[in-house]
Each structure stands twice: as C-alpha cells, then as structure tokens.
Amino acid sequence: MASPPVLKRSETIADSMPDALRQSRYHMRICFSRFIAPGKRLMKRQHIMDEVYRSIQDEKERQKVLEGLFGYILSSTQEAAVVPPFVAFAVRPNPGFWEYVKVNADDLRVDGISISEYLQFKEMIFDEKWASDENALEVDFGAMDFSTPRLTLSSSIGNGLNHMSKFMSSKLRGSSEAAKPLLDYLLALDHQGENLMINRALDSVSKLQEALIVAEVVVSGFPKDTPYQGFQQSLKELGFEKGWGDTAERVKETMRMLSESLQAPDPVKLELLFSRIPNMFKIVIFSPHGYFGQSDVLGLPDTGGQVVYILDQVRALEEELLLKIKQQGLSVKPQILVITRLIPHAGGTKCSQEKGVLPQWVSRFDVYPYLERFAQDAADKILEHMDCKPDLFIGNYSDGNLVASLMAQKLGITLGTIAHALEKTKYEDSDAKWKELEPKYHFSCQFTADMIAMNTADFIITSTYQEIAGSKNRPGQYESHVAFTMPGLCRVVSGINVFDPKFNIASPGADQSVYFPYTEKQKRLTSFHPAIEELLYNNEDNYEHIGYLADRKKPIIFSMARLDTVKNITGLTEWYGKNTKLRNLVNLVVVAGFFDPSKSTDREEIAEIQKMHSLIEKYQLKGQFRWIAAQSDRYRNGELYRCIADTKGAFIQPALYEAFGLTVIEAMNCGLPTFATNQGGPAEIIVDGVSGFHIDPNNGDESSKKIADFFEKCKTDAEYWNKISATGLQRIYECYTWKIYANKVLNMGSVYGFWRQINKEQKLMKQRYIETFYNLQFRNLARNVPIPGFAPPVQTPSS
Ligand code: UDP
Ligand code: LCN
C-alpha cells in the first residue's frame, strides 16, 4: 500500500497529540467522553468544536485549550470517525498533507494509524460487516507510481509542467546515451509520412550534435528574416527536415535550444524547445452528453459553463495551433474535432441533425451505461474523419474523461482531462453514504469513472489551485479522491496523488470579442440597446421579466446564473431584501432560470423558483428589483454586462460554491467591478480589495454590507469605481485569457507526450491495473444504472 505524503515537519500529529492532550487532561477527558457518548458517528470539524464548547464552559479555560496544541490539531482536523472507545481523526495540517490518528477516549492513548485503518474506522459507522471483511476490495493506484517524480511542497501543486521539465532534463543529462530518448523522439516525428526536423541520416546523438553546429553556421549566413525555403536545401543535405522555424532567426534559435539541451539540458530551455517541436496537428475533444454547439442554446442544468468553455477552448486552441504551425515553417492545416452526441428529442434545437441511437437527453448522472459503446463508435468515426491517429485527446467532465481514457488506452494517444466540477465534493459524505444516494446519482459509477480517468490521464488541466488542493481549511476537489471509502463497494487507499506533476493549472478566459470593456465605445453593440433597455426598465411583467426599477438613476447590482441552489441567487435576493442601506443605494437585477415552477422538471430548480417569488413578496422588492429569465444570446449578454457598467454598477456572484466561475471573468472583462464568492475558484480569480472583492456566501449580512460600503465609497470618491474596474481588467489580461490557456495546454500536450514515451514501462503496468478495475468494477456498476425504456448496452465481461 502506498503511504501518504509525509508531513514536512519535525513532528507528526501522532507525536504531538499526547502532549496536546496532557496539557489539559481534565478537560480532554470530558471532551472525549462527550465525543463518544452518542455512540458511533462521523463528526465534522464544526461538530467537534461545538462539543469542545459544550465541554469546557469556562471561557478562559476554553481559550487556553484552543490556543494550545490541541486547538491547532482540531483546527486542522477535517473529520473524526467515532467508534467507542476510539475517536479516529483525519487531520490535514496543510493542503495535500494528511495524517490519521486514533485516540482511546478511556485513557487518552494516541496511536498513528494508516489510511486504510482510518477508512475502516469510518466504514464501521456505515457498514460494520464490510469494514471487518479482510478481503474487502482495497484500491491502490499509488502502488504503481514508484518511479514517478513527486512534488514536495503544497505551494508547488498545480505547477506540474515546470516540475516535469526539471525531471526530464535531469533524465536526459550526462551522456549521449541519456540524451538518446530525445533523439528517438525527433526521429519518429512526422506528418502524414513526411519526416519533420531530422531524418535517418542523423541517427546518433553525436551525429545530430555535429550537424547542428554546421547547420547553425549555414543559417547564420542568411539575413534573420530569410524564409525557410531560402536555405531548406542546404539543411536537407545535412539531414534536417522542415519544422525548425519559418525564418532564419527562428530556425537558428530552435537549433541552439536543441544543441544546448543535448549538451546540458536545463528545464527552461527544454520546455521552450518542446513548445517549438511540431508534434501537434490533430486534437480531439470529448463532451459526450451533448446539448452542445447550437447557437443560442445554453447547456441543460448539467452543462452550463462547460459548453461555453469548450466552444471557446476550441477557438483558442485553433488560433494558437495555426500560429505555432506557421512559426514552425509548416503549411499544415490543424484539425480539432469535438465529439458529442446527437439528441433527436432536441426540444427545437439543432442537436438532432442526424439520426441518433438514443433519442432522449440523458442526465450526467445516468449516462454511464452508454459510454463504452459511445467510445467504440466514436473511435471509428475519428479515424475515418482524420485518416490518421490524432496527437492529443482532451476529455471534459466525468463522462467525457472516461470515454477519452478508453480511447487513449486503445489507440495509445496522449490524454489530458478536465473536470469543470467533480461531483464528489458537492454532496456531503457522498462516498460514505453512496448507497443512500445511488438510486438518484449513481455515484458508484461516477467516482469509479473519475478515478479511471485521473489515473489514465497523462496530464490534468485544472482551472484553479483550489480545484486540486483546496485552501487552508477546505480540501480540493481532486484531493478528496486521495483516499476515501464507499463501504460495501471499495476502499480507496490511494486514488490520486495531488503532488503528482500531472496536475496543471490553466485557467480559462472569456471570449474577448464578446466580453470587452464598456469603455470601447466604437465596438459597443448598440443595436442591442433598445432590447436591453426593454429588458431592464420596461415596467410591465411578462414572460421575460418581472419586477421593475422605479429609480433609474441608481446603479445596478447584477447577477446571472442557472437557478440552482448552489448558485445562491435566492441568497443574494434575500441579502438585498434585508439591507435597507443597500436598497437605497442600488437596484438589483438578476438573470436566472424562469418564473413558472410548473415548467421545470428539476426539484432544486422548482424550489428556487418558488423561493424567489416568496422573497419578492416578503421583502416587497418591486420597484427596486428586476428578475429576468435565462438569457442565451452571449453577444447580447456581453452588452448587458457593459450596460450595467454604464450605470456604475457591479456584478455579484454569490454562489455557495463555484468550481471556477465563468461569469466572474466575463463581468471583469467588461470592466464591471465584481464581488464574488470566497468559496471556490473566484477566490483565486479576484485579489480581494484589489481587483474586485470576495464575499462570504454563508454570511449574507457581512457580504451585503461590503457591497453597500463599496457604493457608499463610490459616492464620495468618484475615482474609486474606475480604479476597481481597471484593476479587474488588469488581472484578467495578466492571468485569465484564452491565449494564455491555449499556449499552456499545447505545451502540456508536447511535454507530457514525450514523458509518456520515456516512461513507457510504468505507464503500461498502471494501464493493466486500470483495465482490470474497469472490467471488473466499472462495467458491473454501469450495468446497474437503469434508463427507462432502454436496455443498457454494456456487455458483461463474459459476453
Ligand atoms: N449563462 C448565460 N445565460 C444565463 C445564465 C448563464 O448565458 O441565463 C452563461 C454565462 O454567461 C456563462 C455560463 O453560462 O458563460 C455559466 O458558466 P459558469 O462557469 O458561471 O457556471 P456553470 O453554469 O458552468 O456552473
Ligand atoms: C462548470 C462550473 O461549475 C463552473 O464553475 C465552471 O466555470 C464551468 O464549468 C467551466 O469550466
């Protein structure tokens, strides 16, 4: 079994806990007897703290305990499994670092325990029989990762590319023999049978090194901007082919990078060299659950921003590929294929343009039985369409990642995966309580698929750091797959390692031809202004808007999201309703869902619609509040953000949790000062008080006060609004553009593509484990997912 990452501190929790308990033994005894009194249970940090408060009533005494070592340990504890007389703690002192200890409540004896033992404690609460089954299935992907380099610092997580380049450069350093994998890689490069960069004449490292020296001299004899064709023949005679650059200057630079990398590789140069190697012409992107790519159609509740992300991603990758290929001196047309599904029952949209197999929309929770067949059909189509193997697969979300994994394994193609939002962290204890949730969500399939994809992927693209490793207090989405248990199904002692250099942060952007600053007057889409005027200020209620704004002079605070509970649009409405000062300063406009609950089939959405109506009544919002139904025209939405900026308003994103938050960067791109949730991605996008503001969705009073304070300050300091608008834009241009994204992702494809070649044996071994897991576990689980009217098409392993 793989051991967990070791704490980089002189003492472990298991070492320091006995002292911590000794510091106030009397109180500890009371606390621990309270912990175990109700019997077996799972306690979260807050419960533990509540019990401590109840146990130590004297404030001074309590303060003393909480400020001591025990307080520190509790503040790092994520949960505790109580199985009297033991309390087993899962402690997370830093992002990615976990330690497990058990305390005997009777004598306060402390022992360090392994992940497996901790998970067994947890299982005792939910399924005692399974917990004590010696042959319960333990899944350990870490056991096959012994030669993979690991990061060691929490702060390095997500910076995999950089680390990988370091590791590769140390592997290639030292001798011609060590550099040979790079030579072999270059020799294998081709485009439709035509060699690129070098040919077989340069079949040893020393020959290549010598030829590079001569070639550099040849190229130096030409003016810098001489096109490649000007000296192509001379290079060919030395064994060089196309792909080095489009001008003499670029060719020379690339040759120098290779010479230096062969002589003494350094990570920065090596990464730069790989960014120039012509190894990427055909990319396939997977988003199987469909409702995709039609104009003016938002994804269904499932897909929201994912559809936007993929459409923009394709455009950005295409632009970057075209630029790279041109700079490499090639005239190849790149191809990017998006694989999705046809939906004959397309609700008037264009998802049904050909005859599909499955007529209806299938929710992301129910789609698992269809994915194997989908992968098989798609593989044939891809090869037919591209007439050769693609260079890179990119999966999206659990279903797309699984399909991409199956195909990448089969065809031997580099794989990058993207999760948008992993479901596991969205539902409390969704792993331990999986049986309860199974009929509705089929998490057994989803979490299994996620592990298969994460482990198959050569690299994982995330939008933010928190997606991988969370924050000081909250574990990341990927981190929640490090170790978990689904009692009765499997105990995962090592699902993924967040210190794996496969993790990379490449944040998406917003399409800047749609979302541009309100100040760019000549570009403004003024033709939408009458419609937007109607949308915001017409006093009649109709199918598109209800409520009205009596005072047009007030700035508007604006929000736009799907009407899901987690988006917390009702929360924002309530904060506004309660805060008289804010109501006097600004109007509130929200774009969300629709008004008639009978038109929704989604329970959460129905509840939110009803709540909105009751809040409007309760707080008598009419006159200050406008509720607009979901809007699907992104050009008009872009102009809408800008019109809100014209009122000197702000964008508010109040979600209880947001994986990334595209609306946040859309608003900031338009120059609209933005207040966004501190729970999830937006906390990283915005630097609080500098490029916008963080708000706490769980503390409405504080959040609405922060918004009101901003508008009050704007009244006295006319420049303040402009300043926040400008710093928001600056933040976007520095960190959140599709250009930056596309460049990073293509570099990942290049570097990790090479790494999978030199790490072949280990990759193969892990692959065999994944295949077994897929065949014996996933297929059986998927077969149990019913879809009314259709027999799931998965075959049994024996059929
Ligand atoms: N959106 C929209 N109309 C709406 C609500 C949302 O066009 O009525 C768009 C929004 O502009 C953004 C995407 O849908 O591009 C939502 O992405 P986000 O990351 O904010 O949230 P998700 O829906 O993916 O959870
Ligand atoms: C899904 C989400 O929930 C959002 O937070 C992201 O911005 C979106 O996908 C695009 O990745």
Side-chain angles (χ1 to χ4, degrees), residues 257-284:
M257 283 173 202
L258 179 60
S259 288
E260 288 177 358
S261 295
L262 290 171
Q263 180 191 277
D266 97 54
V268 178
K269 293 247 169 58
L270 196 68
E271 197 179 320
L272 207 56
L273 172 68
F274 269 90
S275 74
R276 292 189 174 200
I277 291 180
N279 50 13
M280 197 88 54
F281 305 104
K282 291 175 191 285
I283 301 178
V284 183

Side-chain angles (χ1 to χ4, degrees), residues 34 239 335 431 445 583 789:
R34 280 197 85 105
Q335 243 183 318
D431 42 11
C445 287
R583 288 176 69 163

Side-chain angles (χ1 to χ4, degrees), residues 54 169 173 267 345 399 437 564 586 604 651 715 727 747:
R54 278 188 211 116
S169 60
R173 191 175 301 144
H345 293 179
D399 51 1
L437 299 166
D564 270 7
V586 295
E604 273 189 14
F651 185 74
K715 277 193 152 178
T727 44
N747 287 352

Side-chain angles (χ1 to χ4, degrees), residues 542-560:
N542 64 20
Y543 69 97
E544 216 183 4
H545 49 73
I546 56 179
Y548 67 95
L549 308 180
D551 182 356
R552 287 190 59 151
K553 286 195 287 305
K554 284 201 280 189
I556 290 175
I557 56 171
F558 174 60
S559 198
M560 176 164 73

Side-chain angles (χ1 to χ4, degrees), residues 298 304-305 308 560-562 567 591 630-631 637 641 658 661-663 666:
L298 296 175
V308 176
M560 176 164 73
R562 293 178 286 118
K567 295 290 183 187
V591 170
Q631 295 295 310
N637 287 350
Y641 284 114
E658 186 62 61
L662 288 175
T663 52
E666 289 166 1

